């Protein structure tokens, strides 16, 4: 058993319910090696260790708006290794973004660059894992063709997801985009301090300094293959 979130708002707010973590079996090293050969890209150590422990990640939780209305709200997802590729939808977004004249940050892409879909940013765009000559970074590309830099490593991005509770469209906070109105209301209800962040270029410092918020127990990614055969979904403490 483990507790993924220890944020006080989750512990004290009875309106948050149905916190569920999907447990997945680890990727075999041969499968990871085949993926790297297929895409001509060597996974960064932290992401390789992640897939060595679990083939993707999915956490969801619901919010009780009224006595009769409980809706899915929070979601943290990392695509499985098989889903980590340049999807047609992502390629269309990237092609469209190249036609847009924007003054904001933009990744430097060339013929050797690799772009993979790491996650779907609900109602905004796609979260991309970008490989450029041995260097990896995480970006948001929006449906309007704008770019937003998120993190310089998978580990940083994953921690940012936890700190922001998987709230809808939290990535917009780091891309100088407005939050979806109803999502902003959720931030104000559950985590108003997250709206008082520093400038985007200092976001990683802010995330690293967020003590006492959301911490993931690293032992959840160290489950043996034997344990996976015995159970497919562990108990979750809410």
């Amino acid at each position: 058993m483990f507790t993924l979130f220890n944020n006080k708002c989750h512990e004290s707010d009875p309106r948050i319910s149905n916190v569920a973590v999907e447990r997945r079996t680890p990727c075999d090293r041969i499968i990871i090696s085949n993926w790297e050969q297929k895409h001509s890209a060597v996974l960064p150590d932290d992401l390789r260790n992640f897939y060595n422990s679990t083939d993707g990640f999915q956490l969801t939780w619901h919010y009780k708006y009224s006595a009769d209305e409980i809706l899915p709200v929070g979601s943290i997802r990392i695509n499985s290794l098989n889903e980590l590729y340049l999807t047609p939808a992502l390629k269309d977004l990237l092609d469209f973004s190249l036609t847009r004249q924007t003054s904001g940050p933009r990744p430097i892409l060339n013929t050797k660059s690799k772009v993979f879909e790491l996650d779907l940013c609900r109602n905004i765009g796609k979260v991309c894992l970008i490989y450029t000559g041995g260097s990896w970074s995480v970006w948001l590309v929006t449906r309007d063709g704008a770019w937003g830099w998120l993190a310089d490593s998978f580990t940083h991005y994953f921690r940012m997801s936890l700190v922001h509770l998987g709230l809808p469209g939290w990535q917009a906070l780091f891309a100088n985009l407005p939050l979806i109105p109803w999502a902003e209301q959720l931030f104000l209800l559950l985590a108003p301090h997250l709206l008082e962040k520093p400038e985007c270029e200092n976001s990683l410092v802010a995330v690293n300094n967020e003590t006492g918020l959301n911490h993931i127990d690293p032992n959840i990614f160290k489950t043996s293959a034997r344990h996976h055969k015995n159970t497919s979904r562990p108990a979750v403490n809410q």
Side-chain angles (χ1 to χ4, degrees):
M1 297 177 66
F2 63 90
T3 301
L4 182 63
F5 285 119
N6 65 2
N7 189 279
K8 292 182 179 179
C9 72
H10 276 71
E11 294 175 346
S12 62
D13 195 331
R15 293 170 293 183
I16 294 177
S17 63
N18 301 333
V19 180
V21 179
E22 180 181 328
R23 195 61 163 268
R24 303 180 182 184
T25 57
C27 289
D28 186 272
R29 292 182 179 180
I30 295 178
I31 293 176
I32 295 177
S33 178
N34 289 340
W35 184 97
E36 292 178 328
Q37 292 181 20
K38 176 181 178 180
H39 295 284
S40 299
V42 178
L43 288 174
D45 289 342
D46 58 348
L47 189 54
R48 183 185 296 108
N49 291 336
F50 174 82
Y51 283 118
N52 271 327
S53 303
T54 175
D55 188 13
F57 182 83
Q58 178 75 62
L59 177 144
T60 57
W61 54 270
H62 291 63
Y63 189 78
K64 186 176 182 179
Y65 285 91
S66 65
D68 301 321
E69 189 176 29
I70 300 177
L71 298 177
V73 171
S75 176
I76 300 175
R77 176 182 170 83
I78 302 297
N79 282 341
S80 68
L81 186 63
N82 187 52
E83 297 170 312
L84 190 67
Y85 70 103
L86 181 62
T87 65
L90 176 55
K91 186 180 185 304
D92 289 343
L93 258 185
L94 296 177
D95 291 342
F96 174 65
S97 71
L98 294 177
T99 67
R100 306 292 290 175
Q101 297 295 326
T102 60
S103 58
R106 182 187 292 266
I108 300 175
L109 302 177
N110 53 46
T111 55
K112 296 182 179 180
S113 300
K114 308 285 185 179
V115 183
F116 306 102
E117 183 175 328
L118 189 64
D119 187 14
L120 172 67
C121 184
R122 292 173 291 173
N123 302 305
I124 295 180
K126 303 275 187 179
V127 176
C128 306
L129 184 68
I130 297 182
Y131 174 82
T132 53
S135 175
W136 293 84
S137 56
V138 183
W139 291 75
L140 169 69
V141 59
T142 74
R143 294 185 300 179
D144 296 328
W147 287 92
W149 180 79
L150 296 176
D152 63 356
S153 71
F154 167 75
T155 297
H156 278 141
Y157 175 74
F158 194 33
R159 175 155 169 73
M160 290 163 69
S161 300
L162 296 176
V163 169
H164 290 83
L165 314 175
L167 286 166
W170 65 264
Q171 295 92 337
L173 293 172
F174 296 90
N176 291 322
L177 296 170
L179 283 171
I180 305 167
W182 64 270
E184 185 173 5
Q185 294 177 6
L186 286 171
F187 269 91
L188 292 172
L189 281 171
L190 300 172
H193 60 282
L194 293 178
L195 297 177
E196 302 173 1
K197 69 176 186 67
E199 295 298 322
C200 291
E201 58 267 26
N202 296 322
S203 61
L204 289 181
V205 176
V207 168
N208 287 330
N209 289 335
E210 291 283 4
T211 58
L213 287 178
N214 300 289
H215 300 277
I216 187 165
D217 181 354
N219 291 321
I220 69 173
F221 294 137
K222 296 181 181 179
T223 304
S224 65
R226 180 180 179 183
H227 177 78
H228 281 290
K229 292 179 181 179
N230 293 334
T231 177
S232 59
R233 187 182 299 270
V236 176
N237 293 335
Q238 299 182 22

